Amino acid sequence: MLLSAEHITRSLGARVLLEDVSLYLDRGEKLGVIGANGAGKSTLLKILAGVEEPEGGTVRPDPNVRLEYLPQNPAYEADNTILEQVFAGLDDSAREVAEHEVKTVLTRLRITDFTRKMGALSGGERRRVALARVLTRPADILLLDEPTNHLDAHMTAWLEDFLKRWKGALIMVTHDRYFLERVVSRMVEVENGGLTFYTGNYADYLERKAELLEMARASERKRQSVLRREYQWVMQGAKARGTKSRERLERYEALKGQEAPEERGRVELTALSSRLGKKTIELEHVSKAFDGREVIRDFSCHILRADRIGVIGNNGSGKSTLLNLVAGRLQPDTGWVGMGETVKIGYFSQENPPMDPDQRVIDYVKNVGNYIETASGTLTAGQLLEQFLFTGDQQYSPIGKLSGGEKRRLFLLSILATAPNVLLLDEPTNDLDIDTLTVLEDYLENFPGAVVAVSHDRYFLDKMARRTFLVDGNGSVTETPGGYSEWMETFAAEGTTKIIKEKTTNTDTRKKEKPKGKEKLKFSYMEQREFETIEGEIAALEGELDQVKKEQELQGSDYLALEKLQGRQVELEGKLEEKMERWVYLNDLNERIRAQKEEGQ
């Protein structure tokens, strides 16, 4: 055993985060920590790292154990160079031994100018420097708090492989479900002040969690059944005796006093949006450069009404620039961006907007409106906050008391409350817990408008995206059908790995490179199925629409029935229009695939 933490208790104001919990870590064990935002995951890691003291209990690492800790917001010296920051605290001989490894890891994390000052780096770059420092120090235990934040897909894949091969012990707070699936050997859930341990990876956790939940529900159903029977016995007149059985009465009181199993609240997102007309957003031959560097070059795109687009690329390649061009926040140097009159954009940016730490949570939402229209009806600001799991106490507490994930959830609430019909999401998975991510993914699946999401979260992209744009950093934007895994399959088949290539060539070198062949087009599995069935779906909608029109002719003066039928006609026409747009896209893609095959013959 490398580390033991016993009977740990820690509170935040009136809220108990950890209550008499214990944790033990064995050599070589890899432990994944999950839980809702604000449940106490980061607090648990700080206590294990010795950064915070518990109110009760003890933490005992083995005397010879070396421990390295990556917090969510690492401290740094602004005047240090990158190498000085990584080597801080090491003597000269240790620096010489570690220098090659440090530079290799920094390069993997896209930090190549080691002489830059820490104060001149972005927040994401500083966090990657801190990650490199932790990974290159001699250690027996790594404590990592959200290590994939601010990493692009390539860096995340590299870190996943690094941690899989890591021989030491690991405790990691993360929302990256592929990490939890592929790296960890045991999981712990922080919930209601306690810790629940699960053997295995994320899939094993989901299976066992579902079993435990069903067992708890079955026990509660049995308790309620017994209570009903015993209540009837208590209330009826005594038979053959003037008094009831004391033991049976005590058993009834004990059953009645038991608490039902507490099920964790779940964020509720209702698919509310404004009406979106036929014209959405079009980009025609758009280009954008910064300081002479072309980030987007001659890019054209038509965003469909029900589109689901994932945007990937290295950090700094231009993903957020593309999103800002779509949103109209940036104007292109050449080309144009057209936007339909009914388009209402909801922009969930990578960083939260400035929030007044002294402002009450409920007042932040009231800035959107005291009453908010949702798909399930009109809600007050307080009711909407309850759907997003903000308790009554939290609603009237200052924003400064919220955790990073809770602030992120509050920002998401404020975006969705405005009823957008086009959602632009820039790294939406940062700092959101897994439960909220799952609900968000379900919400996006049923959202009646268009979604464009920049993300490094491979699991999220696989669930959300129907087509993927790769922004390569040299101006090119390449489209492939499907999500992240399908993109990887496409480019692996062609022997190219654009997103993971180190950019070591300058512009002159690139000009001398041989032009690459055309990318291979293909349907994703879901698109193939959709293409095979969409004509039948269109025919069914047309048939139902004809029937509704015939019924209207037969109604005569029954205005109530006519109004209902006219509403159904508008609904069917909207669905038919969306299907036709999708049919045009799929047929166009099919023609291009067929033409490409004929060219290759």
Side-chain angles (χ1 to χ4, degrees), residues 124-144:
E125 288 172 324
R126 285 196 291 267
R127 186 167 168 81
R128 280 181 270 150
V129 171
L131 177 60
R133 173 180 170 138
V134 167
L135 296 181
T136 54
R137 296 286 177 109
D140 302 292
I141 300 175
L142 292 180
L143 302 179
L144 307 179

Side-chain angles (χ1 to χ4, degrees), residues 141-155:
I141 300 175
L142 292 180
L143 302 179
L144 307 179
D145 196 349
E146 296 290 4
T148 63
N149 278 1
H150 302 288
L151 301 188
D152 61 34
H154 163 53
M155 293 184 236

Side-chain angles (χ1 to χ4, degrees), residues 29-242:
E29 188 173 23
K30 293 182 171 67
L31 182 65
V33 184
I34 59 172
N37 292 138
K41 304 185 297 294
S42 295
T43 299
L44 175 63
L45 240 61
K46 288 174 183 176
I47 291 172
L48 296 178
V51 174
E52 287 189 7
E53 290 293 327
E55 293 161 9
T58 56
V59 178
R60 294 192 184 93
D62 184 282
N64 299 315
V65 160
R66 296 166 297 183
L67 185 149
E68 288 294 329
Y69 167 57
L70 175 72
Q72 282 198 35
N73 299 300
Y76 65 95
E77 292 292 334
D79 292 333
N80 278 352
T81 66
I82 289 171
L83 281 183
E84 286 171 344
Q85 183 68 29
V86 175
F87 287 139
L90 296 180
D91 57 35
D92 291 341
S93 60
R95 291 185 183 197
E96 288 181 14
V97 171
E99 184 169 358
H100 175 72
E101 183 183 5
V102 166
K103 289 182 177 179
T104 300
V105 171
L106 283 169
T107 303
R108 287 283 191 178
L109 297 173
R110 303 233 187 278
I111 304 289
T112 54
D113 185 355
F114 310 129
T115 62
R116 291 174 68 194
K117 297 288 187 180
M118 292 296 296
L121 303 183
S122 67
E125 288 172 324
R126 285 196 291 267
R127 186 167 168 81
R128 280 181 270 150
V129 171
L131 177 60
R133 173 180 170 138
V134 167
L135 296 181
T136 54
R137 296 286 177 109
D140 302 292
I141 300 175
L142 292 180
L143 302 179
L144 307 179
D145 196 349
E146 296 290 4
T148 63
N149 278 1
H150 302 288
L151 301 188
D152 61 34
H154 163 53
M155 293 184 236
T156 302
W158 171 82
L159 180 61
E160 179 186 299
D161 185 60
F162 181 96
L163 294 177
K164 281 166 67 176
R165 292 183 288 106
W166 164 254
K167 300 299 183 184
L170 169 69
I171 302 180
M172 174 174 58
V173 173
T174 184
H175 63 260
D176 190 307
R177 286 153 290 183
Y178 280 155
F179 252 62
L180 293 170
E181 182 73 19
R182 298 165 181 171
V183 175
V184 306
S185 55
R186 190 160 66 114
M187 294 188 61
V188 57
E189 186 170 24
V190 185
E191 187 177 21
N192 300 324
L195 302 181
T196 307
F197 292 88
Y198 300 86
T199 301
N201 59 12
Y202 182 64
D204 298 319
Y205 154 76
L206 288 177
E207 183 177 357
R208 183 59 180 153
K209 177 77 173 178
E211 289 174 359
L212 292 175
L213 191 58
E214 183 52 41
M215 287 168 60
R217 287 170 176 165
S219 297
E220 177 60 13
R221 287 194 296 269
K222 182 178 179 181
R223 184 177 77 93
Q224 292 295 337
S225 176
V226 173
L227 267 177
R228 283 191 296 271
R229 188 171 65 248
E230 291 299 289
Y231 176 75
Q232 291 170 356
W233 175 80
V234 169
M235 297 306 293
Q236 71 185 11
K239 294 180 180 178
R241 285 196 288 171

Side-chain angles (χ1 to χ4, degrees), residues 36-37 265-270 348 361 365 372 374 379 381-391 394-395 402 405-417 432-433 436 439-440 443:
N37 292 138
R266 187 174 172 88
V267 177
E268 296 179 35
L269 301 182
T270 50
F348 190 50
V361 171
V365 179
I372 293 107
T374 74
L379 298 180
Q383 289 171 328
L384 188 64
L385 280 164
E386 285 176 5
Q387 286 195 346
F388 276 70
L389 303 187
F390 289 99
T391 64
Q394 283 181 309
Q395 292 179 25
L402 299 180
E406 287 169 328
K407 290 176 184 175
R408 193 79 173 140
R409 197 189 323 141
L410 181 63
F411 177 39
L412 176 63
L413 179 159
S414 70
I415 296 296
L416 299 183
L432 290 181
D433 60 63
T436 304
V439 173
L440 177 60
Y443 171 85

